[in-house]
Amino acid sequence: MCVREVAVYRRQSPADILWNNLSQPGLTIPSDQAGYQPDPAALMQRFHVFSSEGRWLHGAPAFALLWARLGRSWRALALIGRLPGGLRVMDAVYGLFLRVRPRMQELVRHLVREQWLPAQMIPALRSDHAGETGAVWIYRMMLALQRDPGLRPLLEEHAAQERQHLDAFNTLLPWRHRSRLLVLWRIAGAVTGMVAALGGRRWTLATIAAVERFVDRHYLEQIEDLQWPIDSLRGDTAALQPALNNCSTGWCEPANPGSQDDRLRELLALLVSFRNDECRHRDDATRALDDHRAPGLTDLASQPATLGDRALSLWCMLVERGSAIAVRAAKVI
C-alpha cells in the first residue's frame, strides 16, 4: 500500500522534490539544524519529510507540507492543516490509519495476489472456510455454556485445532472467493454449539461426532478430486509426510513457490492433515461417551429406547443434514 501511495504522489510532484527509498542500502539520513537524526527504523513506521529549511516533519505536518506542493485537490486538503486544531485532527486520523493498516494490507494482498488455485477446487475450499468458521463458533459456545469440567480439556484442544484450520484457510483463500454468508455460518455454528452444550455431556459429544462424520466425508471427496493415488490418502500418508510435518501448524509454503505441482501437493497435504484432525475429533467424542452409546452415534434408523434418545437421534440427523445443506450453499454463495 505504501508503495502505491508514494507512486501516486511522485506522479504529481514537482521535480525539486526528492524521493528516497529507506530500504536502500547505504542511504544517509540527514540531520536537521539542531543535530537531530531520526532512526531509520522509526522512519519506516510513519510518513516523514525533510524540508528545504533543514527540518524534519513527521505525520500530519509532513503530509500537509507535501500536499501543498501537489495538485489543486491536494492543496485543498493541505488547507485543513492551517485551521485551528487541524493538524491535531489529521494526526489523530493518521494514527488510526496506522493501526488498521496491517488489516488493509492483508486485504490488498488477497485482492491482487496471483491466483493459482484450481478453478474446480475453489467452491469446495470456500465451503471448507465456511465450515471451519462455523466450527470455531460451535466450540466457542460449547466452552462458554458447557458445565462439565471433564469435557473442557477435550473442547479446548478441538477448538484450538479448528482455529488453526480457519487461520490456514484465511491465508489460502482470497477474500473474493470466500462465502458471502459468513455471518450466517457464524450464527449457525453458535446455535449448534449452544443447543449441544445446554443438552449436557451426551448431546455435546454426540454433536461433535455427528459434525465430524460429515466433515470426514467432505474432506475425503476433495482429496480424491485432486486425483492422487487413493492408497496414499486413506490412512497411510507416508509419501506425503514431509509436507504434513510442515502443515502441522496451518498452511505451509511449498518448497518451490513457483511450481504449480508443489502448490497442489501442499494443498493435498493440508487437506489430508485437516481430515486426520477431524477424524480424531470424532473418535475422541465417541470414546468420551464411555459405555453410553448415544443413538446419534449409531444407525439413525434404529428405534431409541427413550424420548431423550429419540430427541438426540433427531438432533444428530439434523446436524448432519444441515451441514450438507450448508456446504452446498457455501459452494455457490
Side-chain angles (χ1 to χ4, degrees):
M1 286 182 61
C2 292
V3 173
R4 291 176 173 82
E5 181 183 1
V6 169
V8 172
Y9 292 151
R10 295 189 68 168
R11 285 195 294 268
Q12 303 182 44
S13 66
D16 62 338
I17 295 182
L18 302 179
W19 298 85
N20 291 303
N21 185 352
L22 289 171
S23 62
Q24 179 181 347
L27 179 67
T28 301
I29 306 297
S31 301
D32 64 14
Q33 296 174 348
Y36 168 66
Q37 184 182 44
D39 181 70
L43 292 176
M44 294 289 288
Q45 301 300 318
R46 293 172 64 86
F47 187 75
H48 305 267
V49 165
F50 189 70
S51 71
S52 58
E53 292 82 15
R55 293 187 302 119
W56 277 104
L57 300 175
H58 311 289
F63 280 110
L65 179 62
L66 174 64
W67 292 345
R69 301 292 310 282
L70 302 180
R72 182 177 302 175
S73 59
W74 293 108
R75 290 198 296 271
L77 284 175
L79 292 176
I80 299 176
R82 299 183 182 180
L83 299 175
L87 287 178
R88 184 173 298 177
V89 172
M90 289 172 60
D91 219 37
V93 173
Y94 183 51
L96 177 63
F97 165 75
L98 291 178
R99 286 195 292 270
V100 302
R101 182 173 62 178
R103 290 183 177 273
M104 296 175 65
Q105 289 173 323
E106 180 184 359
L107 176 60
V108 170
R109 284 194 296 269
H110 276 289
L111 293 176
V112 304
R113 72 182 180 183
E114 174 193 5
Q115 174 58 51
W116 63 269
L117 293 171
Q120 71 274 15
M121 289 295 296
I122 288 176
L125 293 173
R126 179 164 54 243
S127 68
D128 292 340
H129 179 268
E132 296 296 351
T133 298
V136 166
W137 280 90
I138 287 175
Y139 280 104
R140 281 183 180 177
M141 295 304 293
M142 286 181 173
L143 284 168
L145 300 176
Q146 176 57 241
R147 300 308 179 194
D148 187 339
L151 274 183
R152 194 162 192 85
L154 180 145
L155 295 178
E156 288 177 344
E157 178 185 353
H158 289 192
Q161 288 186 326
E162 299 295 357
R163 285 193 298 269
Q164 187 182 101
H165 296 178
L166 181 58
D167 288 343
F169 283 117
N170 281 335
T171 302
L172 173 64
L173 198 64
W175 279 95
R176 63 184 180 274
H177 292 319
R178 297 180 188 179
S179 174
R180 302 298 185 268
L181 303 176
L182 284 179
V183 172
L184 177 60
W185 308 139
R186 293 186 183 103
I187 294 173
V191 171
T192 301
M194 178 181 67
V195 171
L198 294 177
R201 178 186 179 89
R202 289 184 65 215
W203 279 64
T204 298
L205 295 172
T207 299
I208 293 173
V211 170
E212 301 299 11
R213 277 200 307 275
F214 171 81
V215 174
D216 173 24
R217 298 192 298 269
H218 179 58
Y219 272 132
L220 184 58
E221 290 174 0
Q222 296 171 59
I223 292 169
E224 293 175 343
D225 284 344
L226 285 176
Q227 298 180 350
W228 285 75
I230 300 302
D231 288 342
S232 68
L233 305 178
R234 298 180 186 271
D236 182 12
T237 58
L240 298 174
Q241 198 57 48
L244 289 176
N245 291 337
N246 292 333
C247 291
S248 60
T249 58
W251 174 247
C252 42
E253 292 296 332
N256 180 4
S259 168
Q260 180 78 352
D261 288 343
D262 284 342
R263 284 174 165 175
L264 291 178
R265 185 177 181 84
E266 296 292 351
L267 175 58
L268 173 64
L270 187 79
L271 295 177
V272 171
S273 177
F274 286 1
R275 180 192 172 221
N276 290 342
D277 289 343
E278 306 294 358
C279 289
R280 282 194 295 272
H281 297 175
R282 176 201 61 201
D283 295 341
D284 288 345
T286 302
R287 285 193 298 268
L289 282 168
D290 299 322
D291 297 330
H292 303 284
R293 289 194 59 83
L297 301 177
T298 59
D299 183 2
L300 294 176
S302 63
Q303 292 298 319
T306 67
L307 182 61
D309 289 340
R310 290 192 181 93
L312 182 54
S313 178
L314 177 61
W315 168 250
C316 291
M317 180 180 66
L318 290 175
V319 167
E320 290 200 56
R321 293 187 179 180
S323 299
I325 294 171
V327 162
R328 288 196 292 270
K331 285 182 177 180
V332 178
I333 306 175

